[in-house]
C-alpha cells in the first residue's frame, strides 16, 4: 500500500541536541511538506520541497533544516537553535491538483 | 498574503443533529482549491472534502457538504446526522492553483455528544 511513514512516533531530546525526524513516501508525489502543530493552533509550515534537491522555507523555518536528496525522502532536523521545539510534527505529500496526504506524525518533547 | 480564518474554536452537537463550521479566506487569486481536513484523537489528518474554486456546484461527500460562496470568500462545512466518530478537530485549508504552500486555519474542535 502507498503511504507516508514518519519515524520515530515519539522522540525525546535534551536541550542543546539536534534531532532528525524521518519522512519517507512511496506515493511517487513530487512535493513534500513539514508542518508543526501546537495546541490551539493550526498547522504551520516549516519547509516544503517541490522537487529533488530543492526546498523553500515556510513560515517558521528558523531553527530547522531539511534535505531532499531523493524523491522518497524529506528528513527534518530540529537544531539546538530552535527555542521551543516541543510540538507535534506532520509530514505531508502533494500531487498536482490533488490534496495533501499526511503521515501519522512525530511527537517531539524536549526534556 | 493569503489567510484562512476559522472563527469557532469549539462546537458541540448531539448525535443525529447537524452542525455547520465556518471558514473564510482571503486571496487575490482566481484559481484555488479549498479543503476540509479532520484530525481525530489519533491525530491522523484525513481529508473530508475538497472544492475547486472554478466549480460553482458545492461539493458533497456522504454526510459532509460545503457551502462555497466565492464572492464572499466563505467555505463552510456542514456535518449532517452527526455521529460520535465525527468528534475531531476540523481544519479548513486553502491552496492556489500554482505550486506552493497550503494555508491552514486554526481549527474548530467538534464534540459529538450522545
Amino acid at each position: 500500500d502507498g503511504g507516508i511513514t514518519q519515524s520515530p512516533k515519539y522522540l525525546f531530546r535534551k536541550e542543546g541536541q539536534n534531532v532528525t525526524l524521518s519522512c519517507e513516501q512511496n506515493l511517487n508525489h513530487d512535493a513534500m511538506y513539514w508542518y508543526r502543530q501546537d495546541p490551539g493552533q493550526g498547522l504551520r509550515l516549516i519547509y516544503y520541497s517541490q522537487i529533488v534537491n530543492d526546498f523553500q522555507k515556510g513560515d517558521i523555518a528558523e531553527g530547522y533544516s531539511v534535505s531532499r536528496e531523493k524523491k522518497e525522502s524529506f528528513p527534518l532536523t530540529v537544531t539546538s537553535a530552535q527555542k521551543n521545539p516541543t510540538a507535534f510534527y506532520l509530514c505531508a505529500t502533494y500531487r498536482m491538483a490533488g490534496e495533501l496526504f499526511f503521515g501519522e506524525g512525530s511527537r517531539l518533547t524536549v526534556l | 498574503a493569503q489567510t484562512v480564518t476559522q472563527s469557532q474554536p469549539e462546537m458541540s452537537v448531539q448525535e443525529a443533529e447537524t452542525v455547520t463550521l465556518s471558514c473564510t479566506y482571503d486571496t487575490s487569486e482566481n484559481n484555488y482549491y479549498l479543503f476540509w481536513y479532520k484530525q481525530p484523537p489519533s491525530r491522523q489528518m484525513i481529508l473530508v472534502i475538497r472544492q475547486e474554486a472554478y466549480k460553482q456546484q458545492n461539493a458533497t461527500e456522504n454526510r459532509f457538504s460545503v457551502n462555497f460562496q466565492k464572492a464572499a470568500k466563505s467555505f463552510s462545512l456542514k456535518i449532517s446526522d452527526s455521529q460520535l466518530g465525527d468528534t475531531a478537530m476540523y481544519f479548513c485549508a486553502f491552496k492556489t492553483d500554482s505550486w506552493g504552500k497550503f494555508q491552514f486555519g486554526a481549527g474548530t474542535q467538534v464534540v459529538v455528544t450522545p
Side-chain angles (χ1 to χ4, degrees):
Chain A
D1 287 340
I4 302 167
T5 302
Q6 287 188 242
S7 62
K9 289 192 185 308
Y10 300 95
L11 185 60
F12 298 90
R13 187 194 96 172
K14 293 182 180 179
E15 285 194 22
Q17 284 183 335
N18 292 352
V19 294
T20 297
L21 307 180
S22 171
C23 179
E24 301 282 331
Q25 59 113 348
N26 60 6
L27 298 169
N28 199 34
H29 290 171
D30 288 313
M32 298 187 73
Y33 298 74
W34 274 107
Y35 286 92
R36 170 178 171 144
Q37 187 177 19
D38 295 284
Q41 299 195 36
L43 278 63
R44 293 185 292 168
L45 182 63
I46 305 172
Y47 270 98
Y48 66 106
S49 168
Q50 298 175 5
I51 56 173
V52 174
N53 293 323
D54 186 54
F55 48 83
Q56 289 77 42
K57 292 182 179 180
D59 301 318
I60 56 165
E62 184 176 353
Y64 300 97
S65 66
V66 294
S67 63
R68 186 85 186 276
E69 298 176 1
K70 299 186 300 180
K71 186 175 184 178
E72 299 79 16
S73 180
F74 191 41
L76 174 73
T77 296
V78 185
T79 74
S80 57
Q82 170 50 234
K83 300 304 180 189
N84 184 21
T86 293
F88 187 66
Y89 292 87
L90 284 162
C91 177
T93 68
Y94 171 74
R95 63 179 177 84
M96 183 64 110
E99 65 268 9
L100 280 177
F101 292 82
F102 286 88
E104 294 183 339
S106 294
R107 175 73 185 176
L108 172 63
T109 302
V110 174
L111 302 174
Chain B
Q2 288 151 161
T3 60
V4 178
T5 302
Q6 294 180 250
S7 58
Q8 305 149 315
E10 183 167 339
M11 299 191 75
S12 183
V13 60
Q14 285 192 315
E15 266 187 300
E17 297 296 310
T18 295
V19 63
T20 300
L21 312 182
S22 67
C23 173
T24 59
Y25 57 94
D26 187 24
T27 183
S28 58
E29 302 208 20
N30 194 46
N31 295 323
Y32 50 86
Y33 303 89
L34 294 159
F35 307 85
W36 279 99
Y37 280 88
K38 167 184 176 179
Q39 187 180 43
S42 68
R43 307 201 77 170
Q44 174 70 57
M45 293 284 283
I46 302 164
L47 178 70
V48 175
I49 201 165
R50 59 174 280 169
Q51 173 85 40
E52 289 84 358
Y54 63 86
K55 291 185 177 179
Q56 292 188 343
Q57 186 172 5
N58 289 324
T60 300
E61 287 288 341
N62 300 314
R63 297 181 295 106
F64 298 88
S65 61
V66 299
N67 182 6
F68 173 47
Q69 301 289 330
K70 191 172 184 180
K73 296 181 181 175
S74 172
F75 184 59
S76 62
L77 174 70
K78 184 170 77 172
I79 307 174
S80 304
D81 186 24
S82 296
Q83 301 175 359
L84 295 177
D86 295 334
T87 292
M89 182 73 84
Y90 287 80
F91 292 99
C92 179
F94 166 97
K95 186 189 181 303
T96 62
D97 200 27
S98 56
W99 280 113
K101 301 189 286 187
F102 281 73
Q103 195 72 31
F104 283 81
T108 296
Q109 176 67 50
V110 171
V111 178
V112 181
T113 58

